[in-house]
């Protein structure tokens, strides 16, 4: 059974940094692309970033480009999202999602999310 | 960059059929696959349609997807509506010139 467990969320002041992690199990991690998707409570889903199986292809939403960095450690089955220069508008529930293919595909499994709160 | 536009909400009675649209703002709807996700309150999203019209195992055949190039849109159709179909539904596609993914704004389905 695929399991994705996010961690690292919390309360942070504007301008500060946070690092989110996603621990994956139940599948061969280095065979699949991985993504981060966020959701403000009561609002819609927003794709944040994605990374191919070998980190050869990476993409970011315009809203986070230059501030967030996605990475993965295939030896440890971990996905990361480094959040720098955080803004109030980055406050959301951040989901880790598994891609259905090594490069892209759809999001076929999701974690439960980790909450990021940005406030002074 | 393109956007995906969905109606904010739809409602229908149990047993009926409802269709949710997803219109691409620029570029062809056929240029990259469309997915549909269901999100029930308090839960993470789950995939119900992928690659325009494919159903994952475990998703009932009451759910179907299609695309229409003439209107540059995708559609999710749910037949034989049940009360537990009540949820938010999101379409999603990707920019085939980059690694960027795009979600529609979501449609709240009420079954009453």
């Amino acid at each position: 059974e695929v399991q994705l467990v996010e961690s690292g969320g919390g309360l942070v002041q504007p301008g500060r940094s946070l690092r989110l992690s996603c621990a994956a199990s139940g599948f061969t991690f280095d065979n699949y692309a991985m993504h981060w998707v966020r959701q403000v409570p009561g609002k819609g889903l927003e794709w944040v970033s994605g990374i191919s199986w070998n980190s050869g292809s990476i993409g970011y939403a315009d809203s986070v480009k230059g501030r967030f960095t996605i990475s993965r450690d295939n030896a440890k089955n971990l996905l990361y999202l480094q959040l720098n220069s955080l803004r109030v508008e980055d406050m959301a529930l951040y989901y880790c999602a598994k891609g259905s293919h090594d490069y892209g595909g759809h999001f076929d499994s999701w974690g439960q999310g980790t909450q990021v709160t940005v406030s002074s | 960059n393109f956007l995906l536009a969905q109606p904010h909400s739809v409602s229908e009675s149990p047993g009926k059929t409802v269709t949710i649209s997803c219109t691409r703002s620029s570029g062809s709807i056929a240029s990259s696959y469309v997915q549909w996700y269901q999100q029930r309150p308090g839960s993470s999203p789950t995939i119900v349609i992928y690659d325009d019209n494919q159903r994952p195992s475990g998703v009932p055949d009451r759910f179907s997807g299609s695309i229409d190039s003439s209107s540059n849109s995708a559609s999710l159709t749910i037949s034989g509506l049940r009360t537990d179909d009540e949820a938010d539904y999101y379409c999603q596609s990707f920019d085939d010139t980059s690694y960027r993914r795009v979600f529609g704004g979501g449609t709240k389905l009420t079954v009453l």
Side-chain angles (χ1 to χ4, degrees), chain A residues 33 35 39 43-45 47 50-52 59 62 95 103-107 110-112, chain B residues 1 35 37 39 43-47 50-51 90 92 98-105:
Chain A
H35 298 264
Q39 185 173 36
K43 302 296 184 183
L45 301 173
W47 177 81
I51 185 168
S52 62
D62 290 344
Y95 292 105
Y103 177 78
H106 56 276
F107 310 131
W110 298 65
Q112 291 302 305
Chain B
N1 290 355
Q35 278 65 238
Y37 301 87
Q39 187 179 32
S43 296
S44 303
T46 60
I47 184 84
Y50 68 94
D51 292 357
Y90 296 88
Q92 176 260 314
S98 72
Y99 206 68
R100 180 173 163 265
R101 268 63 180 160
V102 180
F103 280 100

Short mmCIF file of all heavy atoms in Angstrom, two decimals, chain A residues 33 35 39 43-45 47 50-52 59 62 95 103-107 110-112, chain B residues 1 35 37 39 43-47 50-51 90 92 98-105:
data_model
loop_
_atom_site.label_atom_id
_atom_site.label_comp_id
_atom_site.label_asym_id
_atom_site.label_seq_id
_atom_site.Cartn_x
_atom_site.Cartn_y
_atom_site.Cartn_z
N ALA A 33 7.74 10.17 -10.60
CA ALA A 33 7.78 11.60 -10.32
C ALA A 33 7.02 11.88 -9.04
O ALA A 33 6.15 11.11 -8.63
CB ALA A 33 7.16 12.36 -11.49
N HIS A 35 5.30 15.29 -6.52
CA HIS A 35 4.81 16.66 -6.59
C HIS A 35 4.40 17.18 -5.22
O HIS A 35 4.10 16.39 -4.31
CB HIS A 35 3.59 16.74 -7.52
CG HIS A 35 3.86 16.34 -8.93
ND1 HIS A 35 4.16 17.26 -9.92
CD2 HIS A 35 3.90 15.12 -9.52
CE1 HIS A 35 4.36 16.62 -11.06
NE2 HIS A 35 4.21 15.32 -10.85
N GLN A 39 -3.23 23.78 -0.61
CA GLN A 39 -4.64 24.16 -0.56
C GLN A 39 -4.90 25.04 0.65
O GLN A 39 -4.70 24.62 1.79
CB GLN A 39 -5.53 22.92 -0.50
CG GLN A 39 -7.02 23.21 -0.57
CD GLN A 39 -7.84 21.94 -0.69
OE1 GLN A 39 -7.52 20.91 -0.10
NE2 GLN A 39 -8.93 22.01 -1.45
N LYS A 43 -10.48 26.72 -0.05
CA LYS A 43 -10.16 27.14 -1.42
C LYS A 43 -9.74 25.94 -2.25
O LYS A 43 -9.78 24.79 -1.80
CB LYS A 43 -9.05 28.19 -1.40
CG LYS A 43 -9.37 29.43 -0.58
CD LYS A 43 -10.54 30.20 -1.18
CE LYS A 43 -10.79 31.49 -0.42
NZ LYS A 43 -11.97 32.22 -0.95
N GLY A 44 -9.32 26.21 -3.49
CA GLY A 44 -9.00 25.14 -4.42
C GLY A 44 -7.57 24.62 -4.30
O GLY A 44 -6.77 25.09 -3.49
N LEU A 45 -7.27 23.62 -5.11
CA LEU A 45 -5.95 23.03 -5.16
C LEU A 45 -5.03 23.87 -6.04
O LEU A 45 -5.45 24.38 -7.08
CB LEU A 45 -6.03 21.61 -5.73
CG LEU A 45 -6.91 20.61 -4.99
CD1 LEU A 45 -7.02 19.32 -5.79
CD2 LEU A 45 -6.34 20.33 -3.61
N TRP A 47 -1.15 23.46 -7.70
CA TRP A 47 0.10 22.75 -7.90
C TRP A 47 1.25 23.69 -7.58
O TRP A 47 1.27 24.84 -8.04
CB TRP A 47 0.20 22.26 -9.34
CG TRP A 47 1.49 21.58 -9.67
CD1 TRP A 47 1.83 20.29 -9.40
CD2 TRP A 47 2.61 22.16 -10.35
NE1 TRP A 47 3.10 20.03 -9.86
CE2 TRP A 47 3.60 21.15 -10.45
CE3 TRP A 47 2.89 23.42 -10.87
CZ2 TRP A 47 4.84 21.38 -11.05
CZ3 TRP A 47 4.11 23.64 -11.48
CH2 TRP A 47 5.08 22.63 -11.57
N GLY A 50 6.99 20.09 -8.98
CA GLY A 50 7.12 18.68 -9.29
C GLY A 50 8.54 18.34 -9.70
O GLY A 50 9.31 19.21 -10.12
N ILE A 51 8.90 17.05 -9.54
CA ILE A 51 10.25 16.59 -9.83
C ILE A 51 10.19 15.20 -10.43
O ILE A 51 9.45 14.34 -9.95
CB ILE A 51 11.12 16.63 -8.54
CG1 ILE A 51 12.57 16.27 -8.82
CG2 ILE A 51 10.53 15.72 -7.46
CD1 ILE A 51 13.50 16.57 -7.64
N SER A 52 10.92 14.98 -11.50
CA SER A 52 10.91 13.68 -12.16
C SER A 52 11.71 12.67 -11.32
O SER A 52 12.36 13.02 -10.34
CB SER A 52 11.49 13.78 -13.57
OG SER A 52 12.84 14.20 -13.51
N GLY A 59 9.80 21.53 -12.03
CA GLY A 59 8.97 22.66 -12.38
C GLY A 59 8.39 23.32 -11.15
O GLY A 59 8.24 22.68 -10.10
N ASP A 62 4.44 29.70 -10.91
CA ASP A 62 4.99 31.07 -10.96
C ASP A 62 4.97 31.73 -9.58
O ASP A 62 5.84 32.53 -9.26
CB ASP A 62 4.18 31.92 -11.95
CG ASP A 62 4.40 31.50 -13.40
OD1 ASP A 62 5.38 30.78 -13.66
OD2 ASP A 62 3.59 31.90 -14.26
N TYR A 95 0.25 19.23 0.39
CA TYR A 95 0.16 17.80 0.12
C TYR A 95 1.35 17.33 -0.71
O TYR A 95 1.79 18.03 -1.63
CB TYR A 95 -1.09 17.48 -0.71
CG TYR A 95 -2.42 17.66 -0.04
CD1 TYR A 95 -3.23 18.76 -0.35
CD2 TYR A 95 -2.90 16.73 0.87
CE1 TYR A 95 -4.48 18.91 0.22
CE2 TYR A 95 -4.16 16.88 1.46
CZ TYR A 95 -4.93 17.97 1.13
OH TYR A 95 -6.17 18.12 1.70
N TYR A 103 8.20 10.39 -15.25
CA TYR A 103 8.38 11.78 -15.66
C TYR A 103 7.17 12.64 -15.31
O TYR A 103 7.30 13.75 -14.80
CB TYR A 103 8.66 11.86 -17.15
CG TYR A 103 8.78 13.28 -17.67
CD1 TYR A 103 9.94 14.01 -17.47
CD2 TYR A 103 7.73 13.88 -18.34
CE1 TYR A 103 10.06 15.32 -17.93
CE2 TYR A 103 7.84 15.19 -18.81
CZ TYR A 103 9.00 15.90 -18.60
OH TYR A 103 9.12 17.19 -19.06
N GLY A 104 6.00 12.17 -15.55
CA GLY A 104 4.80 12.99 -15.33
C GLY A 104 3.62 12.17 -14.90
O GLY A 104 3.65 11.55 -13.85
N GLY A 105 2.59 12.16 -15.74
CA GLY A 105 1.38 11.43 -15.40
C GLY A 105 0.51 12.20 -14.44
O GLY A 105 0.73 13.39 -14.17
N HIS A 106 -0.47 11.53 -13.92
CA HIS A 106 -1.39 12.17 -12.98
C HIS A 106 -0.93 11.89 -11.54
O HIS A 106 0.05 11.19 -11.31
CB HIS A 106 -2.81 11.65 -13.21
CG HIS A 106 -2.94 10.16 -13.13
ND1 HIS A 106 -2.66 9.33 -14.18
CD2 HIS A 106 -3.31 9.35 -12.11
CE1 HIS A 106 -2.86 8.09 -13.84
NE2 HIS A 106 -3.25 8.07 -12.57
N PHE A 107 -1.68 12.44 -10.59
CA PHE A 107 -1.36 12.27 -9.18
C PHE A 107 -2.19 11.09 -8.67
O PHE A 107 -3.39 11.24 -8.44
CB PHE A 107 -1.68 13.52 -8.39
CG PHE A 107 -1.12 14.78 -9.00
CD1 PHE A 107 -1.92 15.91 -9.18
CD2 PHE A 107 0.19 14.86 -9.40
CE1 PHE A 107 -1.42 17.06 -9.75
CE2 PHE A 107 0.71 16.01 -9.98
CZ PHE A 107 -0.10 17.12 -10.16
N TRP A 110 -2.01 10.50 -2.66
CA TRP A 110 -1.80 11.75 -1.94
C TRP A 110 -1.56 11.45 -0.46
O TRP A 110 -2.12 10.50 0.08
CB TRP A 110 -3.04 12.64 -2.05
CG TRP A 110 -3.41 13.07 -3.44
CD1 TRP A 110 -3.82 12.28 -4.48
CD2 TRP A 110 -3.44 14.41 -3.92
NE1 TRP A 110 -4.10 13.04 -5.59
CE2 TRP A 110 -3.87 14.36 -5.27
CE3 TRP A 110 -3.15 15.66 -3.38
CZ2 TRP A 110 -4.02 15.51 -6.06
CZ3 TRP A 110 -3.31 16.80 -4.15
CH2 TRP A 110 -3.73 16.72 -5.48
N GLY A 111 -0.77 12.30 0.17
CA GLY A 111 -0.65 12.24 1.61
C GLY A 111 -1.78 12.99 2.28
O GLY A 111 -2.71 13.47 1.61
N GLN A 112 -1.69 13.11 3.61
CA GLN A 112 -2.72 13.81 4.37
C GLN A 112 -2.43 15.30 4.51
O GLN A 112 -3.29 16.07 4.94
CB GLN A 112 -2.87 13.18 5.75
CG GLN A 112 -3.46 11.78 5.71
CD GLN A 112 -4.83 11.77 5.05
OE1 GLN A 112 -5.73 12.50 5.46
NE2 GLN A 112 -5.00 10.95 4.02
N ASN B 1 1.20 30.24 -20.68
CA ASN B 1 0.46 29.68 -19.55
C ASN B 1 -1.04 29.68 -19.85
O ASN B 1 -1.55 30.62 -20.46
CB ASN B 1 0.72 30.50 -18.30
CG ASN B 1 2.13 30.35 -17.78
OD1 ASN B 1 2.88 29.55 -18.32
ND2 ASN B 1 2.49 31.09 -16.78
N GLN B 35 -7.12 15.27 -16.21
CA GLN B 35 -7.45 14.40 -15.09
C GLN B 35 -8.58 15.05 -14.26
O GLN B 35 -8.79 16.26 -14.34
CB GLN B 35 -6.24 14.26 -14.16
CG GLN B 35 -5.21 13.25 -14.60
CD GLN B 35 -4.51 13.61 -15.90
OE1 GLN B 35 -4.55 12.84 -16.86
NE2 GLN B 35 -3.83 14.75 -15.93
N TYR B 37 -10.18 14.93 -10.19
CA TYR B 37 -10.00 14.49 -8.82
C TYR B 37 -11.26 14.81 -8.02
O TYR B 37 -11.88 15.85 -8.22
CB TYR B 37 -8.79 15.19 -8.17
CG TYR B 37 -7.50 14.93 -8.92
CD1 TYR B 37 -7.13 15.74 -9.98
CD2 TYR B 37 -6.68 13.86 -8.57
CE1 TYR B 37 -5.96 15.50 -10.68
CE2 TYR B 37 -5.50 13.62 -9.27
CZ TYR B 37 -5.16 14.44 -10.33
OH TYR B 37 -4.00 14.19 -11.03
N GLN B 39 -12.61 15.42 -4.11
CA GLN B 39 -12.18 15.71 -2.75
C GLN B 39 -13.40 15.87 -1.85
O GLN B 39 -14.14 16.85 -1.97
CB GLN B 39 -11.30 16.97 -2.68
CG GLN B 39 -10.71 17.19 -1.29
CD GLN B 39 -9.83 18.41 -1.21
OE1 GLN B 39 -10.05 19.41 -1.89
NE2 GLN B 39 -8.81 18.34 -0.36
N SER B 43 -10.93 15.41 3.54
CA SER B 43 -10.09 14.34 3.00
C SER B 43 -9.16 14.84 1.91
O SER B 43 -9.37 15.92 1.35
CB SER B 43 -10.98 13.23 2.40
OG SER B 43 -11.76 12.63 3.40
N SER B 44 -8.14 14.06 1.64
CA SER B 44 -7.24 14.37 0.53
C SER B 44 -7.93 14.03 -0.79
O SER B 44 -8.84 13.19 -0.82
CB SER B 44 -5.95 13.56 0.66
OG SER B 44 -5.31 13.81 1.90
N PRO B 45 -7.51 14.66 -1.87
CA PRO B 45 -8.11 14.35 -3.18
C PRO B 45 -7.80 12.92 -3.60
O PRO B 45 -6.79 12.34 -3.19
CB PRO B 45 -7.42 15.35 -4.12
CG PRO B 45 -6.90 16.43 -3.23
CD PRO B 45 -6.54 15.77 -1.95
N THR B 46 -8.67 12.37 -4.44
CA THR B 46 -8.42 11.07 -5.08
C THR B 46 -8.74 11.19 -6.56
O THR B 46 -9.62 11.96 -6.95
CB THR B 46 -9.26 9.95 -4.45
OG1 THR B 46 -10.65 10.27 -4.60
CG2 THR B 46 -8.95 9.77 -2.97
N ILE B 47 -8.03 10.43 -7.36
CA ILE B 47 -8.22 10.47 -8.80
C ILE B 47 -9.47 9.69 -9.18
O ILE B 47 -9.70 8.58 -8.67
CB ILE B 47 -6.96 9.92 -9.52
CG1 ILE B 47 -7.06 10.03 -11.02
CG2 ILE B 47 -6.65 8.50 -9.09
CD1 ILE B 47 -6.68 11.38 -11.56
N TYR B 50 -8.39 9.73 -15.37
CA TYR B 50 -7.08 10.18 -15.84
C TYR B 50 -6.99 10.00 -17.35
O TYR B 50 -7.79 9.27 -17.95
CB TYR B 50 -5.95 9.45 -15.12
CG TYR B 50 -5.83 7.97 -15.45
CD1 TYR B 50 -4.98 7.51 -16.44
CD2 TYR B 50 -6.59 7.03 -14.74
CE1 TYR B 50 -4.87 6.17 -16.73
CE2 TYR B 50 -6.51 5.69 -15.03
CZ TYR B 50 -5.64 5.25 -16.01
OH TYR B 50 -5.54 3.92 -16.32
N ASP B 51 -6.04 10.68 -17.95
CA ASP B 51 -5.85 10.60 -19.40
C ASP B 51 -7.16 10.79 -20.16
O ASP B 51 -7.51 10.00 -21.04
CB ASP B 51 -5.20 9.26 -19.79
CG ASP B 51 -3.77 9.13 -19.30
OD1 ASP B 51 -3.26 10.11 -18.72
OD2 ASP B 51 -3.17 8.06 -19.50
N TYR B 90 -12.09 18.57 -9.18
CA TYR B 90 -11.08 19.42 -9.81
C TYR B 90 -10.59 18.77 -11.10
O TYR B 90 -10.24 17.59 -11.10
CB TYR B 90 -9.88 19.61 -8.89
CG TYR B 90 -10.18 20.35 -7.61
CD1 TYR B 90 -10.59 19.68 -6.47
CD2 TYR B 90 -10.04 21.74 -7.54
CE1 TYR B 90 -10.87 20.35 -5.29
CE2 TYR B 90 -10.32 22.42 -6.36
CZ TYR B 90 -10.73 21.72 -5.26
OH TYR B 90 -11.01 22.40 -4.09
N GLN B 92 -7.54 18.84 -14.00
CA GLN B 92 -6.10 19.13 -13.97
C GLN B 92 -5.48 18.72 -15.30
O GLN B 92 -5.83 17.70 -15.87
CB GLN B 92 -5.45 18.39 -12.81
CG GLN B 92 -3.93 18.53 -12.71
CD GLN B 92 -3.20 17.34 -13.26
OE1 GLN B 92 -3.52 16.19 -13.00
NE2 GLN B 92 -2.17 17.59 -14.07
N SER B 98 6.48 22.69 -20.63
CA SER B 98 7.26 22.81 -19.39
C SER B 98 6.85 21.66 -18.47
O SER B 98 6.16 20.75 -18.88
CB SER B 98 6.97 24.15 -18.71
OG SER B 98 5.68 24.15 -18.14
N TYR B 99 7.28 21.74 -17.22
CA TYR B 99 6.91 20.71 -16.26
C TYR B 99 5.75 21.18 -15.39
O TYR B 99 5.47 20.63 -14.34
CB TYR B 99 8.13 20.34 -15.40
CG TYR B 99 8.06 18.95 -14.85
CD1 TYR B 99 8.16 17.83 -15.66
CD2 TYR B 99 7.90 18.74 -13.48
CE1 TYR B 99 8.10 16.56 -15.15
CE2 TYR B 99 7.83 17.46 -12.95
CZ TYR B 99 7.93 16.37 -13.80
OH TYR B 99 7.86 15.11 -13.28
N ARG B 100 5.06 22.25 -15.82
CA ARG B 100 4.04 22.89 -15.01
C ARG B 100 2.72 22.14 -15.10
O ARG B 100 2.27 21.76 -16.18
CB ARG B 100 3.89 24.33 -15.48
CG ARG B 100 2.86 25.14 -14.75
CD ARG B 100 2.95 26.60 -15.22
NE ARG B 100 1.76 27.33 -14.85
CZ ARG B 100 0.71 27.50 -15.66
NH1 ARG B 100 0.72 27.00 -16.87
NH2 ARG B 100 -0.34 28.18 -15.24
N ARG B 101 2.09 21.97 -13.94
CA ARG B 101 0.75 21.39 -13.86
C ARG B 101 -0.25 22.48 -13.52
O ARG B 101 0.10 23.46 -12.87
CB ARG B 101 0.69 20.31 -12.78
CG ARG B 101 0.98 18.91 -13.26
CD ARG B 101 2.40 18.75 -13.80
NE ARG B 101 2.61 17.38 -14.24
CZ ARG B 101 3.57 17.02 -15.08
NH1 ARG B 101 4.39 17.92 -15.56
NH2 ARG B 101 3.71 15.76 -15.42
N VAL B 102 -1.49 22.30 -13.97
CA VAL B 102 -2.53 23.31 -13.75
C VAL B 102 -3.79 22.63 -13.23
O VAL B 102 -4.22 21.61 -13.77
CB VAL B 102 -2.86 24.04 -15.07
CG1 VAL B 102 -3.94 25.10 -14.83
CG2 VAL B 102 -1.62 24.68 -15.67
N PHE B 103 -4.39 23.22 -12.19
CA PHE B 103 -5.69 22.76 -11.69
C PHE B 103 -6.76 23.77 -12.08
O PHE B 103 -6.51 24.98 -12.10
CB PHE B 103 -5.69 22.66 -10.16
CG PHE B 103 -5.04 21.43 -9.62
CD1 PHE B 103 -3.74 21.46 -9.13
CD2 PHE B 103 -5.73 20.22 -9.57
CE1 PHE B 103 -3.14 20.33 -8.61
CE2 PHE B 103 -5.15 19.08 -9.06
CZ PHE B 103 -3.84 19.14 -8.58
N GLY B 104 -7.95 23.27 -12.32
CA GLY B 104 -9.10 24.14 -12.41
C GLY B 104 -9.48 24.61 -11.01
O GLY B 104 -8.96 24.11 -10.01
N GLY B 105 -10.37 25.58 -10.93
CA GLY B 105 -10.73 26.16 -9.66
C GLY B 105 -11.60 25.28 -8.77
O GLY B 105 -11.79 25.58 -7.59
#
